[in-house]
Amino acid sequence: MENSGQLFDVIVIGAGVMGSSTAYQTAKRGLKTLLLEQFDFLHHRGSSHGESRTIRATYPEYYYSSMVVESSRLWEEVEAEIGYRVYFKTKQFDMGPSDDKALLAVVDSCRKNSIPVRVLNRDEVSEEFAGIFNLPEDWIGVVTNQGGVLKPTKAVAMFQTLAMRNGAVLKDNAEVVNIEKDPETNHILVSTATGEFYRGSKCVITAGPWTRELIQKVRGLVLPIQPVETTVQYWKISQGQESNFTIEKGFPSFASYGAPYVYGTPSLEFPGLIKIALHSGRACEAGERTWAAPAALREVLEEWIKGRFGNLVEGDKPVLSQSCMYSMTPDGDFVIDFLGGEFGEDAVVCGGFSGHGFKMAPVVGRIAAELVASGKAEGVDLTHFTVGRFVGDNNYKGNVKDFDEQGDQDWTDIDQR
């Protein structure tokens, strides 16, 4: 039981991308850091594994765009530190009906954040992307240069390596079963299923789909963070067209607004295949997954692929499916806040990333590290991410928005259509 009973400046619980980024940031600041993971490092049971994630600054909510811009810079800084790439840049292309409120809010958000953005009609889209995208007559396209692909598993390993280089202690197969305050020392006591315990001056909880369960156990507070099983699918590019769907040929990361909300990335991790997925899923408990793709999911994507790509992509069936997890909040916004209660500002919770947080892991790690180090995060407005928005008379709905959430559904009763 090496390190058991030791006192750390910060204990980070959960070694997905958010926890690993946080451990890197705290260790880099000279804080004695312990990172605990309940499963093997780089496991496939949560939300931080796989071959690709989209990075984009095109958000209807203005407060995310600036976070992505900072994260893009931080991704490059960390790449320079580790010596290899996890971030592959390309354009971001968003498309949808010309009157879609969320898509129009994307354009406004880019302009508010001084992000260069172009709004194109269907003919201009065809010219921009060499005729690959076929848009309906009443659709528009939105193009920015703030797009790209991230390599998730490689990125998590990168943060963990750099955390260790900066002196952090990392332990996997260490399931946290309790967190409590020591009334005598005011330290936070963290106990694991194997009988080990650790003391920390501060604690950061980044438990992904297990966040709601852990917070409820240690503080009696029920945060509406719903684990959702989702499926990512890869489709075969038609013979002779493979190179046209690569970053080298200018193919973008993309998202299609309205119903269904579809997103995808260039052909990168699997040559000749393209990731095209539906922002949807089946509500479940964190440890209860089917690991299977619903048949209805295939039908929705087949229709979308035929409409947008025609015969350029073989849309009759996917050739590869991968299971992943979302941690959904009712408003689709993050939870980044002090835990409160007996823990006050000594514990921070980072969760509810709602299927769109991975790209912002560097800035989330920076924010969490500053919150435990000084009690305040610089250069970011956290008012949209408070625990308190789900407490009291708000009836768990959270932040009110002027547009429908993409993939907006009742995540407690969903069959991926």
Side-chain angles (χ1 to χ4, degrees):
M1 294 189 178
E2 186 180 358
N3 304 121
S4 183
Q6 281 194 30
L7 175 63
F8 291 86
D9 295 322
V10 184
I11 299 176
V12 182
I13 300 170
V17 71
M18 299 303 179
S20 298
S21 174
T22 298
Y24 159 65
Q25 289 284 349
T26 54
K28 188 177 181 179
R29 286 164 168 76
L31 299 176
K32 186 178 180 182
T33 300
L34 172 66
L35 176 62
L36 298 175
E37 168 55 50
Q38 65 176 322
F39 304 119
D40 286 338
F41 289 132
L42 308 181
H43 64 84
H44 285 215
R45 302 190 196 186
S47 307
S48 296
H49 63 281
E51 304 301 327
S52 64
R53 295 289 189 279
T54 299
I55 181 168
R56 59 182 172 86
T58 49
Y59 270 90
E61 302 93 341
Y62 70 90
Y63 41 90
Y64 286 120
S65 297
S66 58
M67 292 175 69
V68 176
V69 171
E70 179 184 353
S71 278
S72 297
R73 175 178 57 79
L74 293 177
W75 279 116
E76 293 183 287
E77 289 181 4
V78 180
E79 282 182 323
E81 189 172 348
I82 195 68
Y84 56 74
R85 295 178 67 190
V86 299
Y87 174 21
F88 298 82
K89 292 183 178 181
T90 189
K91 295 177 181 177
Q92 169 67 21
F93 175 56
D94 298 281
M95 67 195 100
S98 59
D99 61 351
D100 186 276
K101 289 183 178 180
L103 185 55
L104 295 175
V106 164
V107 178
D108 289 341
S109 177
C110 286
R111 290 171 176 164
K112 286 179 181 178
N113 284 281
S114 301
I115 297 171
V117 60
R118 291 180 291 141
V119 180
L120 310 180
N121 61 36
R122 63 173 301 193
D123 293 334
E124 291 168 331
V125 167
S126 182
E127 182 178 353
E128 178 83 12
F129 297 110
I132 292 180
F133 289 97
N134 179 29
L135 267 56
E137 187 69 37
D138 61 343
W139 279 34
I140 58 172
V142 177
V143 180
T144 71
N145 290 325
Q146 291 277 348
V149 182
L150 297 163
K151 292 295 191 77
T153 301
K154 191 177 180 182
V156 176
M158 173 184 70
F159 284 125
Q160 291 175 1
T161 299
L162 291 176
M164 287 189 292
R165 283 187 189 176
N166 283 277
V169 176
L170 278 64
K171 291 185 68 68
D172 62 357
N173 296 298
E175 179 187 0
V176 171
V177 294
N178 197 26
I179 308 169
E180 57 186 334
K181 256 308 190 57
D182 184 334
E184 294 184 3
T185 65
N186 209 35
H187 293 154
I188 292 177
L189 306 180
V190 177
S191 305
T192 71
T194 54
E196 297 173 303
F197 73 95
Y198 304 94
R199 295 177 179 271
S201 298
K202 299 291 178 72
C203 175
V204 181
I205 299 170
T206 55
W210 290 267
T211 299
R212 180 184 64 188
E213 178 183 343
L214 184 58
I215 297 299
Q216 183 175 3
K217 181 176 183 179
V218 303
R219 220 212 107 176
L221 175 66
V222 181
L223 287 178
I225 299 177
Q226 174 64 54
V228 170
E229 181 179 16
T230 188
T231 304
V232 171
Q233 295 188 315
Y234 290 85
W235 306 74
K236 186 172 178 56
I237 301 166
S238 298
Q239 188 173 3
Q241 296 293 329
E242 293 90 348
S243 66
N244 294 325
F245 287 81
T246 63
I247 290 175
E248 290 76 14
K249 283 291 188 74
F251 191 80
S253 48
F254 63 88
S256 180
Y257 282 67
Y261 180 80
V262 176
Y263 66 95
T265 58
S267 180
L268 180 63
E269 55 268 37
F270 299 115
L273 304 184
I274 180 173
K275 184 171 85 172
I276 305 173
L278 184 67
H279 182 57
S280 180
R282 180 190 68 86
C284 63
E285 293 305 314
E288 299 176 359
R289 294 163 67 174
T290 65
W291 302 92
L297 171 64
R298 171 177 162 180
E299 296 172 4
V300 172
L301 288 173
E302 283 175 358
E303 182 178 353
W304 188 91
I305 290 169
K306 182 178 180 181
R308 301 292 78 77
F309 293 132
N311 295 325
L312 300 179
V313 175
E314 296 180 10
D316 55 335
K317 63 178 180 179
V319 297
L320 179 64
S321 296
Q322 296 178 337
S323 174
C324 194
M325 292 288 281
Y326 289 162
S327 301
M328 296 299 303
T329 60
D331 53 17
D333 284 329
F334 305 163
V335 175
I336 306 175
D337 199 0
F338 297 112
L339 183 55
E342 67 173 311
F343 298 96
E345 294 189 357
D346 290 336
V348 173
V349 56
C350 300
F353 292 101
S354 300
H356 65 99
F358 194 100
K359 65 182 74 65
M360 287 174 262
V363 73
V364 172
R366 190 268 294 175
I367 290 168
E370 290 183 358
L371 288 177
V372 296
S374 66
K376 182 179 180 181
E378 299 294 334
V380 62
D381 181 5
L382 298 180
T383 56
H384 299 92
F385 307 142
T386 65
V387 169
R389 74 184 193 269
F390 298 122
V391 178
D393 298 330
N394 206 17
N395 200 27
Y396 279 16
K397 292 182 179 179
N399 297 318
V400 177
K401 303 183 183 182
D402 296 329
F403 50 85
D404 291 334
E405 281 294 304
Q406 298 309 299
D408 188 24
Q409 312 178 55
D410 182 359
W411 297 95
T412 61
D413 182 20
I414 189 168
D415 60 4
Q416 285 195 228
R417 291 172 289 177

